[in-house]
Amino acid sequence: MPTLADLLPAVREPGRPLLTWDDRTTGERVELSATTTANWVAKTASLLVDELDAEIGTRVRIGLPSHWLRFVWLLSSWTVGAVVVDRDADIGVSGPDLVGDEPVRLAASLRPLGGPFVSPPEGFVDLATVVPGQPDAFTPLDVPHAGSAALDLAGADPLDHAGLVELGAPDPRRVLVEPGDLRRDALLLVSALRGGGSLVVVAGADADQLERVAQQERAHVHP
């Protein structure tokens, strides 16, 4: 059984789109291939290990909405063997709402093109100022295994790497979704990686816009 850290490197056509973010409110559209995603994951994993001392079992709260960065942080956390949680974390990642009381607090402005906060976020490290300068390649010293904890969210049974891989049934389709909860996004991501599919996340769309985007993207709308 592969671990979650094995899924992204195993993508057979890394130049194809893997993650697409489409914000109908701002007009922002970001499309990441598996190769580009892997670059972001390498940089974020390097930050986690080299600067934040993350290791197997470190608890990372991903308080980001269904944005392309949420998926990058899921993959980065699993790559270093960290557990994605929604409480009692060692490291907290916030959006522009700047919510969190963890010992280590990071935040993303979610501005277009991954731009930094207009003003430094008090009490938080601005991700846009620390991630881009990290190495483009990451080689873990400690590699997670199938039994390593992966997802521990309130109200649901915890999952290790093997359990989450098993639940994320392979899906070869291009799947369009509106913003949703972290567990759903984790499962959709694993399914896309296992099946050679891709995800299109559309925010701020009404029903008509959603249907048009689905047609343009040639995507299946997730219920």
Side-chain angles (χ1 to χ4, degrees):
M1 175 70 71
T3 69
L4 297 163
D6 297 325
L7 298 181
L8 183 57
V11 171
R12 293 184 178 181
E13 296 183 67
R16 292 180 56 189
L18 174 63
L19 300 171
T20 301
W21 162 253
D22 188 332
D23 188 337
R24 309 307 291 183
T25 303
T26 65
E28 180 188 14
R29 184 181 186 278
V30 175
E31 188 165 86
L32 277 64
S33 66
T35 298
T36 305
T37 302
N39 181 258
W40 277 99
V41 168
K43 288 178 177 293
T44 305
S46 294
L47 173 72
L48 280 166
V49 172
D50 296 341
E51 298 194 26
L52 304 181
D53 298 324
E55 57 187 8
I56 304 291
T58 294
R59 295 172 64 86
V60 177
R61 181 185 64 83
I62 302 178
L64 298 167
S66 290
H67 183 274
W68 63 268
L69 270 176
R70 173 189 272 187
F71 295 97
V72 165
W73 269 88
L74 282 168
L75 288 168
S76 303
S77 299
W78 296 332
T79 295
V80 305
V83 191
V84 174
V85 303
D86 55 4
R87 67 204 183 283
D88 304 328
D90 306 300
I91 298 170
V93 184
S94 171
D97 53 0
L98 301 179
V99 174
D101 58 1
E102 293 81 12
V104 177
R105 295 187 296 275
L106 310 155
S109 71
L110 304 185
R111 295 175 60 208
L113 303 177
F117 284 87
V118 175
S119 301
E122 186 175 352
F124 292 78
V125 175
D126 187 343
L127 283 172
T129 67
V130 293
V131 171
Q134 299 295 324
D136 292 329
F138 174 76
T139 302
L141 295 176
D142 296 314
V143 180
H145 55 81
S148 297
L151 196 65
D152 183 7
L153 304 178
D157 292 335
L159 291 169
D160 58 19
H161 281 239
L164 189 47
V165 168
E166 185 176 354
L167 275 181
D171 192 342
R173 301 173 301 177
R174 185 159 173 78
V175 176
L176 183 146
V177 297
E178 294 185 273
D181 64 53
L182 187 59
R183 182 182 174 87
R184 184 213 66 174
D185 281 357
L187 289 169
L188 287 173
L189 177 59
V190 172
S191 293
L193 288 169
R194 291 192 67 197
S198 60
L199 299 177
V200 182
V201 183
V202 182
D206 58 28
D208 290 339
Q209 288 177 318
L210 203 64
E211 184 60 34
R212 285 198 299 272
V213 174
Q215 293 176 358
Q216 293 165 358
E217 298 286 351
R218 299 180 180 178
H220 170 81
V221 178
H222 186 271

mmCIF file of all heavy atoms in Angstrom, residues 74-103:
data_model
loop_
_atom_site.group_PDB
_atom_site.id
_atom_site.type_symbol
_atom_site.label_atom_id
_atom_site.label_comp_id
_atom_site.label_asym_id
_atom_site.label_seq_id
_atom_site.Cartn_x
_atom_site.Cartn_y
_atom_site.Cartn_z
ATOM 1 N N LEU A 74 -2.051 20.162 2.415
ATOM 2 C CA LEU A 74 -2.359 18.759 2.684
ATOM 3 C C LEU A 74 -1.207 17.865 2.229
ATOM 4 O O LEU A 74 -0.681 17.047 2.998
ATOM 5 C CB LEU A 74 -3.643 18.352 1.958
ATOM 6 C CG LEU A 74 -4.977 18.786 2.585
ATOM 7 C CD1 LEU A 74 -6.131 18.580 1.603
ATOM 8 C CD2 LEU A 74 -5.251 18.033 3.878
ATOM 9 N N LEU A 75 -0.792 18.036 0.981
ATOM 10 C CA LEU A 75 0.279 17.207 0.436
ATOM 11 C C LEU A 75 1.600 17.439 1.160
ATOM 12 O O LEU A 75 2.357 16.495 1.411
ATOM 13 C CB LEU A 75 0.437 17.490 -1.056
ATOM 14 C CG LEU A 75 -0.688 16.958 -1.952
ATOM 15 C CD1 LEU A 75 -0.574 17.552 -3.354
ATOM 16 C CD2 LEU A 75 -0.652 15.445 -2.014
ATOM 17 N N SER A 76 1.885 18.674 1.504
ATOM 18 C CA SER A 76 3.140 18.996 2.186
ATOM 19 C C SER A 76 3.182 18.365 3.571
ATOM 20 O O SER A 76 4.210 17.813 3.991
ATOM 21 C CB SER A 76 3.311 20.511 2.296
ATOM 22 O OG SER A 76 3.271 21.128 1.026
ATOM 23 N N SER A 77 2.069 18.437 4.281
ATOM 24 C CA SER A 77 2.007 17.846 5.617
ATOM 25 C C SER A 77 2.215 16.339 5.548
ATOM 26 O O SER A 77 2.996 15.765 6.317
ATOM 27 C CB SER A 77 0.659 18.172 6.270
ATOM 28 O OG SER A 77 0.489 19.573 6.418
ATOM 29 N N TRP A 78 1.538 15.682 4.616
ATOM 30 C CA TRP A 78 1.684 14.233 4.490
ATOM 31 C C TRP A 78 3.088 13.849 4.037
ATOM 32 O O TRP A 78 3.611 12.813 4.434
ATOM 33 C CB TRP A 78 0.655 13.693 3.510
ATOM 34 C CG TRP A 78 -0.760 13.873 3.973
ATOM 35 C CD1 TRP A 78 -1.204 13.941 5.272
ATOM 36 C CD2 TRP A 78 -1.919 14.020 3.154
ATOM 37 N NE1 TRP A 78 -2.560 14.125 5.307
ATOM 38 C CE2 TRP A 78 -3.032 14.173 4.024
ATOM 39 C CE3 TRP A 78 -2.135 14.037 1.778
ATOM 40 C CZ2 TRP A 78 -4.337 14.331 3.547
ATOM 41 C CZ3 TRP A 78 -3.426 14.199 1.297
ATOM 42 C CH2 TRP A 78 -4.517 14.342 2.176
ATOM 43 N N THR A 79 3.705 14.696 3.229
ATOM 44 C CA THR A 79 5.057 14.406 2.742
ATOM 45 C C THR A 79 6.051 14.321 3.889
ATOM 46 O O THR A 79 6.967 13.483 3.876
ATOM 47 C CB THR A 79 5.499 15.478 1.731
ATOM 48 O OG1 THR A 79 4.654 15.401 0.569
ATOM 49 C CG2 THR A 79 6.951 15.299 1.306
ATOM 50 N N VAL A 80 5.887 15.176 4.884
ATOM 51 C CA VAL A 80 6.832 15.177 6.011
ATOM 52 C C VAL A 80 6.351 14.297 7.159
ATOM 53 O O VAL A 80 7.007 14.219 8.198
ATOM 54 C CB VAL A 80 7.095 16.613 6.512
ATOM 55 C CG1 VAL A 80 7.560 17.508 5.368
ATOM 56 C CG2 VAL A 80 5.860 17.220 7.181
ATOM 57 N N GLY A 81 5.206 13.637 6.976
ATOM 58 C CA GLY A 81 4.690 12.751 8.023
ATOM 59 C C GLY A 81 3.883 13.440 9.091
ATOM 60 O O GLY A 81 3.592 12.857 10.141
ATOM 61 N N ALA A 82 3.507 14.702 8.839
ATOM 62 C CA ALA A 82 2.696 15.433 9.810
ATOM 63 C C ALA A 82 1.241 14.988 9.729
ATOM 64 O O ALA A 82 0.789 14.463 8.712
ATOM 65 C CB ALA A 82 2.794 16.938 9.569
ATOM 66 N N VAL A 83 0.508 15.211 10.816
ATOM 67 C CA VAL A 83 -0.912 14.861 10.890
ATOM 68 C C VAL A 83 -1.736 16.121 10.654
ATOM 69 O O VAL A 83 -1.523 17.143 11.327
ATOM 70 C CB VAL A 83 -1.277 14.285 12.271
ATOM 71 C CG1 VAL A 83 -2.667 13.677 12.234
ATOM 72 C CG2 VAL A 83 -0.241 13.297 12.741
ATOM 73 N N VAL A 84 -2.661 16.079 9.723
ATOM 74 C CA VAL A 84 -3.546 17.218 9.472
ATOM 75 C C VAL A 84 -4.688 17.171 10.484
ATOM 76 O O VAL A 84 -5.402 16.168 10.586
ATOM 77 C CB VAL A 84 -4.083 17.178 8.031
ATOM 78 C CG1 VAL A 84 -5.111 18.284 7.818
ATOM 79 C CG2 VAL A 84 -2.938 17.319 7.033
ATOM 80 N N VAL A 85 -4.856 18.266 11.222
ATOM 81 C CA VAL A 85 -5.837 18.315 12.305
ATOM 82 C C VAL A 85 -6.639 19.612 12.237
ATOM 83 O O VAL A 85 -6.333 20.510 11.447
ATOM 84 C CB VAL A 85 -5.138 18.207 13.684
ATOM 85 C CG1 VAL A 85 -4.308 16.934 13.782
ATOM 86 C CG2 VAL A 85 -4.248 19.429 13.938
ATOM 87 N N ASP A 86 -7.645 19.706 13.092
ATOM 88 C CA ASP A 86 -8.404 20.953 13.215
ATOM 89 C C ASP A 86 -8.434 21.460 14.655
ATOM 90 O O ASP A 86 -9.233 22.330 14.996
ATOM 91 C CB ASP A 86 -9.829 20.780 12.680
ATOM 92 C CG ASP A 86 -10.576 19.626 13.337
ATOM 93 O OD1 ASP A 86 -10.025 19.003 14.273
ATOM 94 O OD2 ASP A 86 -11.712 19.333 12.895
ATOM 95 N N ARG A 87 -7.536 20.912 15.494
ATOM 96 C CA ARG A 87 -7.489 21.329 16.893
ATOM 97 C C ARG A 87 -6.179 20.816 17.496
ATOM 98 O O ARG A 87 -5.514 19.945 16.935
ATOM 99 C CB ARG A 87 -8.674 20.722 17.662
ATOM 100 C CG ARG A 87 -8.554 19.206 17.779
ATOM 101 C CD ARG A 87 -9.875 18.520 17.980
ATOM 102 N NE ARG A 87 -9.710 17.084 18.164
ATOM 103 C CZ ARG A 87 -9.458 16.237 17.166
ATOM 104 N NH1 ARG A 87 -9.330 16.682 15.920
ATOM 105 N NH2 ARG A 87 -9.315 14.952 17.397
ATOM 106 N N ASP A 88 -5.822 21.378 18.654
ATOM 107 C CA ASP A 88 -4.665 20.902 19.420
ATOM 108 C C ASP A 88 -3.433 20.713 18.538
ATOM 109 O O ASP A 88 -2.801 19.653 18.523
ATOM 110 C CB ASP A 88 -4.986 19.579 20.128
ATOM 111 C CG ASP A 88 -6.197 19.679 21.033
ATOM 112 O OD1 ASP A 88 -6.419 20.759 21.600
ATOM 113 O OD2 ASP A 88 -6.934 18.676 21.157
ATOM 114 N N ALA A 89 -3.074 21.757 17.803
ATOM 115 C CA ALA A 89 -1.993 21.646 16.823
ATOM 116 C C ALA A 89 -0.687 22.240 17.335
ATOM 117 O O ALA A 89 -0.668 23.079 18.236
ATOM 118 C CB ALA A 89 -2.405 22.331 15.527
ATOM 119 N N ASP A 90 0.405 21.774 16.719
ATOM 120 C CA ASP A 90 1.721 22.360 16.969
ATOM 121 C C ASP A 90 1.964 23.544 16.037
ATOM 122 O O ASP A 90 2.620 24.520 16.404
ATOM 123 C CB ASP A 90 2.816 21.311 16.735
ATOM 124 C CG ASP A 90 2.587 20.045 17.540
ATOM 125 O OD1 ASP A 90 2.553 20.155 18.780
ATOM 126 O OD2 ASP A 90 2.434 18.968 16.936
ATOM 127 N N ILE A 91 1.443 23.433 14.822
ATOM 128 C CA ILE A 91 1.603 24.457 13.795
ATOM 129 C C ILE A 91 0.226 24.787 13.242
ATOM 130 O O ILE A 91 -0.556 23.879 12.920
ATOM 131 C CB ILE A 91 2.517 23.961 12.650
ATOM 132 C CG1 ILE A 91 3.924 23.657 13.182
ATOM 133 C CG2 ILE A 91 2.581 24.978 11.513
ATOM 134 C CD1 ILE A 91 4.816 22.941 12.174
ATOM 135 N N GLY A 92 -0.088 26.064 13.141
ATOM 136 C CA GLY A 92 -1.370 26.479 12.597
ATOM 137 C C GLY A 92 -1.195 27.293 11.332
ATOM 138 O O GLY A 92 -0.330 28.166 11.262
ATOM 139 N N VAL A 93 -2.012 26.997 10.334
ATOM 140 C CA VAL A 93 -1.993 27.746 9.076
ATOM 141 C C VAL A 93 -3.347 28.409 8.907
ATOM 142 O O VAL A 93 -4.379 27.730 8.854
ATOM 143 C CB VAL A 93 -1.701 26.824 7.875
ATOM 144 C CG1 VAL A 93 -1.589 27.652 6.593
ATOM 145 C CG2 VAL A 93 -0.436 26.019 8.096
ATOM 146 N N SER A 94 -3.346 29.708 8.836
ATOM 147 C CA SER A 94 -4.574 30.485 8.760
ATOM 148 C C SER A 94 -4.692 31.173 7.411
ATOM 149 O O SER A 94 -3.702 31.390 6.710
ATOM 150 C CB SER A 94 -4.585 31.535 9.873
ATOM 151 O OG SER A 94 -5.652 32.445 9.708
ATOM 152 N N GLY A 95 -5.932 31.535 7.060
ATOM 153 C CA GLY A 95 -6.169 32.412 5.929
ATOM 154 C C GLY A 95 -6.130 33.859 6.394
ATOM 155 O O GLY A 95 -5.606 34.167 7.478
ATOM 156 N N PRO A 96 -6.703 34.767 5.627
ATOM 157 C CA PRO A 96 -6.682 36.186 6.002
ATOM 158 C C PRO A 96 -7.484 36.512 7.248
ATOM 159 O O PRO A 96 -7.380 37.626 7.773
ATOM 160 C CB PRO A 96 -7.265 36.882 4.764
ATOM 161 C CG PRO A 96 -8.003 35.822 4.026
ATOM 162 C CD PRO A 96 -7.299 34.538 4.301
ATOM 163 N N ASP A 97 -8.253 35.542 7.760
ATOM 164 C CA ASP A 97 -8.988 35.786 9.000
ATOM 165 C C ASP A 97 -8.075 35.783 10.218
ATOM 166 O O ASP A 97 -8.449 36.263 11.296
ATOM 167 C CB ASP A 97 -10.096 34.746 9.195
ATOM 168 C CG ASP A 97 -9.599 33.305 9.089
ATOM 169 O OD1 ASP A 97 -8.391 33.096 8.858
ATOM 170 O OD2 ASP A 97 -10.422 32.390 9.239
ATOM 171 N N LEU A 98 -6.843 35.251 10.063
ATOM 172 C CA LEU A 98 -5.833 35.265 11.131
ATOM 173 C C LEU A 98 -6.364 34.644 12.421
ATOM 174 O O LEU A 98 -6.266 35.224 13.503
ATOM 175 C CB LEU A 98 -5.328 36.691 11.390
ATOM 176 C CG LEU A 98 -4.694 37.409 10.193
ATOM 177 C CD1 LEU A 98 -4.252 38.810 10.587
ATOM 178 C CD2 LEU A 98 -3.521 36.616 9.636
ATOM 179 N N VAL A 99 -6.900 33.449 12.301
ATOM 180 C CA VAL A 99 -7.424 32.724 13.455
ATOM 181 C C VAL A 99 -6.438 31.632 13.834
ATOM 182 O O VAL A 99 -5.998 30.858 12.989
ATOM 183 C CB VAL A 99 -8.800 32.109 13.149
ATOM 184 C CG1 VAL A 99 -9.263 31.231 14.297
ATOM 185 C CG2 VAL A 99 -9.816 33.206 12.874
ATOM 186 N N GLY A 100 -6.095 31.556 15.126
ATOM 187 C CA GLY A 100 -5.207 30.497 15.579
ATOM 188 C C GLY A 100 -4.466 30.877 16.837
ATOM 189 O O GLY A 100 -4.143 32.053 17.050
ATOM 190 N N ASP A 101 -4.192 29.878 17.691
ATOM 191 C CA ASP A 101 -3.457 30.127 18.924
ATOM 192 C C ASP A 101 -2.331 29.117 19.118
ATOM 193 O O ASP A 101 -1.879 28.879 20.227
ATOM 194 C CB ASP A 101 -4.410 30.101 20.124
ATOM 195 C CG ASP A 101 -5.161 28.768 20.238
ATOM 196 O OD1 ASP A 101 -4.934 27.867 19.401
ATOM 197 O OD2 ASP A 101 -5.969 28.628 21.175
ATOM 198 N N GLU A 102 -1.875 28.508 18.014
ATOM 199 C CA GLU A 102 -0.820 27.499 18.092
ATOM 200 C C GLU A 102 0.519 28.134 18.439
ATOM 201 O O GLU A 102 0.716 29.348 18.258
ATOM 202 C CB GLU A 102 -0.703 26.760 16.752
ATOM 203 C CG GLU A 102 -1.897 25.905 16.391
ATOM 204 C CD GLU A 102 -3.049 26.685 15.797
ATOM 205 O OE1 GLU A 102 -2.842 27.868 15.443
ATOM 206 O OE2 GLU A 102 -4.148 26.127 15.696
ATOM 207 N N PRO A 103 1.469 27.344 18.925
ATOM 208 C CA PRO A 103 2.814 27.876 19.206
ATOM 209 C C PRO A 103 3.474 28.479 17.975
ATOM 210 O O PRO A 103 4.213 29.467 18.072
ATOM 211 C CB PRO A 103 3.580 26.634 19.682
ATOM 212 C CG PRO A 103 2.532 25.697 20.186
ATOM 213 C CD PRO A 103 1.340 25.928 19.336
#
